[in-house]
Amino acid sequence: MKLTIVGGGGFRVPLVYGALLARREQLGLDEVVLYDIDEERLTRIGYVLDGLAAEKGVALPFRATTDLVDAVKGADFVFCAIRVGQLEGRVIDEDVPLGMGVLGQETTGPGGICFALRTIPVMTKLAETMAEHAPDGWLINFTNPAGMVTEALQRVLGDKVVGICDSPSGMCRRVAAVLGRDPKELWFDYFGLNHLGWLQGVRDGTGAPLLEELLADDAQLERFEEGRLFGGEWLRTIGMLPNEYLYYFYYAADTVNAIRTGNPRGAFLLQQQREFYARNGASPAAALADWRATRHDRERTYMAEARNAAGQEGEHDIEENSGYESEAMAVVEAIVNNTREVLILNTANRSALPFLDERAVVEVPCVVGRHGPIPMAMGEVPAHAASLISTMKDVERTTIEAALTGSEQLAIRALALHPLVPSVTTAREIFDGYRRRLPALEAFV
Ligand code: G6P
Ligand code: MN
């Protein structure tokens, strides 16, 4: 089996490689290829991987390349996590709307639209390269904004592209932990789009309504991130547990105020990651220790803006084996071994959410086997969630069209129709702000 990682010099690649090390035999891995446009980043991460292999005392040879065709040719699985425009681009995505008092965040709000405008054309090229050189391969996409990117690529690869996010499974694990249960025993009724989903029920084998009991118990809600963030009162008002990214919708103004007085996420990461990648020449063991310390700092500050806005002092709970690589491995294992495991993934709706059409990419529980993910029928959902999903799906599709055609009119339309952008005038100003600072948008007419 050949597995390729596009964005092979990326910061989270060691998580994936560590998971592959543990499963190399079950998966029958013959070849692991890291592809990146930046050779120096590949080298730096390569040392970290060497450090991991030495620590575990097992070998899983990998090779690095900057030739995309060589990387994907004949691949069975391609993992892709890239950041087009790098962290410098993320800073701009966040900064421009914040200057106008609008949420600046990399996937939610105008920032996500701008990020998608420059990412979708690059990802479409990858999909076309795969269609030509790895027609039987699966593309496991982590690249954000993951829902929009996956929907755009389904036009080229159909169901062979699967979008992954670790937020839903992370929330399910946190809920299970608070309930003192093994998540594998529970059914999680989760639905939505990427970074725009809700948990509307949790059941065990007896059918007991576990979520209702949890939402009624403030002490239990205090014990996990989403419970603390949204607060019991609001959770009982909507009767569901929202994905952490919905904080930016429900508490948009609070977040904008909190970010304006603090350090935006992108700016923090730009500095932190620059320093990490600039330190080199180290032994594999030292590179690994440095990566671990940097990762720890990145994770503990994750979503700090939302916590600040909610008036909380704590840090993000760090999981040793984060959901990021576990989700990817679970998908590969389910496909390779036809396990029919239930995983929450981004795939075409079929009829999972009856108010959307078949091709709309949604994030719902799927049964995953040799033929990929089959979404489960979620049926009716509360009206406010259905209408926000429908609005955002239209914004996403308008963004995809804008990205593929380079249309300024469509880009402004997507920005203006986004619920977090207060007026058409603001949408125009945001677009002009982006175009002035991002070379990728210069050609939009
Ligand atoms: C979560 C989200 C991802 C996001 C990641 C890193 O896992 O689901 O979509 O990329 O966090 O966020 P950060 O702010 O550290 O880049
Ligand atoms: Mn995500």
Side-chain angles (χ1 to χ4, degrees):
M1 177 169 123
K2 174 175 178 179
L3 187 146
T4 298
I5 303 179
V6 171
F11 189 73
R12 283 173 149 190
V13 167
L15 296 173
V16 175
Y17 181 75
L20 290 174
L21 272 177
R23 290 171 181 76
R24 68 203 185 286
E25 273 160 16
Q26 288 125 278
L27 293 176
L29 271 176
D30 305 304
E31 197 182 4
V32 175
V33 182
L34 307 187
Y35 163 82
D36 206 292
I37 53 172
D38 185 333
E39 221 158 331
E40 281 177 24
R41 284 169 68 95
L42 276 173
T43 308
R44 177 83 174 114
I45 289 298
Y47 280 125
V48 180
L49 305 193
D50 290 340
L52 268 177
E55 187 183 82
K56 298 246 158 41
V58 284
L60 174 61
F62 62 90
R63 68 182 176 90
T65 176
T66 53
D67 177 339
L68 184 61
V69 173
D70 168 37
V72 307
K73 204 176 188 79
D76 297 286
F77 288 92
V78 174
F79 287 0
C80 181
I82 59 171
R83 185 178 287 287
V84 177
Q86 300 188 300
L87 282 163
E88 284 82 352
R90 178 169 177 175
V91 169
I92 297 167
D93 295 338
E94 296 180 354
D95 200 38
V96 168
L98 277 175
M100 289 147 208
V102 178
L103 176 77
Q105 207 282 327
E106 65 156 347
T107 61
T108 306
I113 294 177
C114 186
F115 192 14
L117 290 177
R118 62 179 187 277
T119 303
I120 286 170
V122 176
M123 288 297 290
T124 298
K125 285 208 186 91
L126 167 66
E128 286 165 355
T129 309
M130 273 190 73
E132 189 178 344
H133 298 282
D136 298 326
W138 290 90
L139 175 55
I140 310 295
N141 176 55
F142 299 86
T143 299
N144 269 329
M148 261 192 267
V149 168
T150 303
E151 180 153 336
L153 300 200
Q154 286 225 340
R155 297 173 184 206
V156 183
L157 295 173
D159 288 338
K160 288 234 133 171
V161 49
V162 179
I164 290 209
C165 177
D166 55 343
S167 291
S169 59
M171 173 156 79
C172 295
R173 274 196 305 280
R174 289 186 280 276
V175 166
V178 169
L179 295 172
R181 305 292 287 262
D182 175 355
K184 293 239 178 280
E185 288 170 11
L186 301 175
W187 163 251
F188 295 99
D189 203 355
Y190 183 93
F191 68 93
L193 307 180
N194 180 236
H195 291 190
L196 195 91
W198 292 261
L199 185 60
Q200 65 169 345
V202 181
R203 316 233 160 225
D204 64 7
T206 69
L210 302 173
L211 185 65
E212 289 79 346
E213 286 166 25
L214 178 61
L215 297 188
D217 188 338
D218 280 319
Q220 292 282 71
L221 291 173
E222 273 301 306
R223 294 179 52 213
F224 69 105
E225 201 126 5
E226 288 83 356
R228 288 191 294 269
L229 207 52
F230 293 101
E233 219 175 283
W234 179 242
L235 294 176
R236 287 187 286 276
T237 302
I238 57 170
M240 300 187 285
L241 196 56
N243 181 294
E244 54 199 349
Y245 281 82
L246 273 159
Y247 190 84
Y248 301 129
F249 277 88
Y250 290 137
Y251 294 89
D254 313 59
T255 314
V256 170
N257 291 336
I259 304 179
R260 285 172 129 186
T261 56
N263 192 13
R265 181 75 174 153
F268 164 76
L269 288 176
L270 175 62
Q271 175 79 12
Q272 189 222 33
Q273 297 278 303
R274 237 187 217 160
E275 284 169 14
F276 168 78
Y277 281 98
R279 291 191 290 269
N280 54 29
S283 68
L288 177 59
D290 187 9
W291 174 79
R292 282 202 173 121
T294 310
R295 173 178 173 237
H296 183 85
D297 241 28
R298 181 176 189 154
E299 296 272 312
R300 79 183 171 78
T301 54
Y302 173 65
M303 284 221 155
E305 297 144 342
R307 280 190 302 280
N308 288 344
Q312 286 167 21
E313 313 226 308
E315 298 182 344
H316 175 67
D317 306 331
I318 303 176
E319 290 180 283
E320 198 30 63
N321 296 307
S322 83
Y324 183 79
E325 69 281 12
S326 320
E327 282 302 291
M329 290 306 135
V331 175
V332 173
E333 277 174 345
I335 292 175
V336 171
N337 302 325
N338 198 25
T339 61
R340 297 169 180 166
E341 197 183 340
V342 176
L343 299 167
I344 299 172
L345 297 170
N346 289 268
T347 193
N349 180 47
R350 300 190 181 195
S351 52
L353 294 177
F355 52 93
L356 295 179
D357 64 73
E358 278 174 48
R359 300 309 310 165
V361 164
V362 294
E363 193 170 78
V364 294
C366 299
V367 177
V368 193
R370 183 144 308 134
H371 302 288
I374 312 288
M376 320 267 297
M378 305 312 293
E380 285 285 306
V381 302
H384 102 269
S387 50
L388 187 51
I389 290 171
S390 301
T391 300
M392 283 309 301
K393 182 48 75 183
D394 183 53
V395 169
E396 288 188 0
R397 285 178 159 167
T398 307
T399 306
I400 293 169
E401 276 324 304
L404 293 175
T405 57
S407 159
E408 173 183 348
Q409 190 188 44
L410 286 174
I412 290 173
R413 179 180 161 146
L415 287 164
L417 295 180
H418 196 295
L420 295 178
V421 177
S423 89
V424 176
T425 310
T426 313
R428 286 189 200 287
E429 284 168 7
I430 290 175
F431 183 76
D432 287 343
Y434 281 144
R435 187 160 48 189
R436 268 197 300 277
R437 292 173 63 182
L438 285 164
L441 299 192
E442 268 165 23
F444 272 60
V445 283

